[in-house]
Amino acid sequence: MTAAIAPTILLGLGTGLALIVAIGAQNAFVLRQGIRGEHVGVVVLICAVSDAVLIAAGIAGIGALIEAAPVVVDVIRLGGAAFLLAYAVFAARRAIRPGALIASENRRAGGLASAAATALALTWLNPHVYLDTVLLLGSIANTQGPELRWYFGVGAVLGSIAWFAALGFGARLLRPFFARPASWRILDGLIAVVMLVLGLRMAFGF
């Protein structure tokens, strides 16, 4: 078993990153906060801790409970589709009417409470996170067996921490690029397309 611990942790790390490294509402918000340089540590902490809680819940069997209740799965699927399609519309509107984000010293920073509330909402009110993080990751973790499943979870949590930290704190390197409105148009346009595709796939169950 000892020899299998490291590969299991790496598997969890890779699987977690594969699911989390995708353009979505949460990642876009972390990126935006990082570019602004506003409350980045708090936002990264909220996202990483939330992911850890959701991963642990999935491994503990909450994912199996969700899977055993088809009605809950349908509600999550339809709610998730509505969430993603709505976000696609908002992202598309931002792409049509982009705005530059100038990282200047005299800009007005957003409030800490507002940033924390937005990070919590984009994490916990996104039904897609329950399908990916709780159900899918939990199911994969439990295929590793009762002794190794938590090591898989450790890897997934490490992947989450690494990703959000890199995205939030590394975003400052992109400030010159995102000072141009066209750069936000590209980002928001890509987000709109991805959210639209994911929302339609979830709505129609394929």
Side-chain angles (χ1 to χ4, degrees):
M1 172 186 169
T2 303
I5 290 177
T8 303
I9 291 176
L10 290 175
L11 177 62
L13 176 67
T15 306
L17 286 174
L19 291 176
I20 198 173
V21 181
I23 294 178
Q26 185 189 51
N27 284 341
F29 177 70
V30 176
L31 179 64
R32 285 171 177 269
Q33 290 300 112
I35 295 171
R36 289 189 176 105
E38 295 177 1
H39 316 300
V40 181
V42 173
V43 170
V44 168
L45 181 63
I46 288 174
C47 293
V49 170
S50 296
D51 256 21
V53 172
L54 289 164
I55 290 168
I59 295 174
I62 301 300
L65 179 62
I66 294 175
E67 191 174 28
V71 175
V72 174
V73 175
D74 287 339
V75 170
I76 291 174
R77 179 174 60 82
L78 294 175
F83 177 89
L84 294 174
L85 291 173
Y87 196 86
V89 172
F90 290 127
R93 289 179 62 183
R94 290 197 304 269
I96 295 172
R97 298 178 179 178
L101 242 180
I102 306 299
S104 60
E105 293 182 359
N106 60 358
R107 59 164 167 64
R108 184 177 179 181
L112 174 60
S114 176
T118 302
L120 287 169
L122 289 176
T123 301
W124 293 92
L125 297 183
N126 178 7
H128 204 268
V129 76
Y130 297 99
L131 295 176
D132 280 351
T133 307
V134 178
L135 183 57
L136 183 56
L137 264 181
S139 299
I140 297 174
N142 281 289
T143 63
Q144 308 303 309
E147 297 179 335
L148 292 174
R149 60 178 181 165
W150 291 107
Y151 289 104
F152 179 94
V154 168
V157 170
L158 289 175
S160 177
I161 294 172
W163 169 250
F164 285 122
L167 186 63
F169 294 109
R172 68 185 64 184
L173 301 175
L174 299 175
R175 286 181 190 175
F177 178 74
F178 280 98
R180 300 191 297 267
S183 301
W184 285 103
R185 176 171 293 184
I186 293 171
L187 176 64
D188 285 323
L190 184 58
I191 290 174
V193 172
V194 172
M195 294 296 101
L196 176 62
V197 172
L198 292 176
L200 291 175
R201 289 187 61 183
M202 189 176 292
F204 293 100
F206 64 87

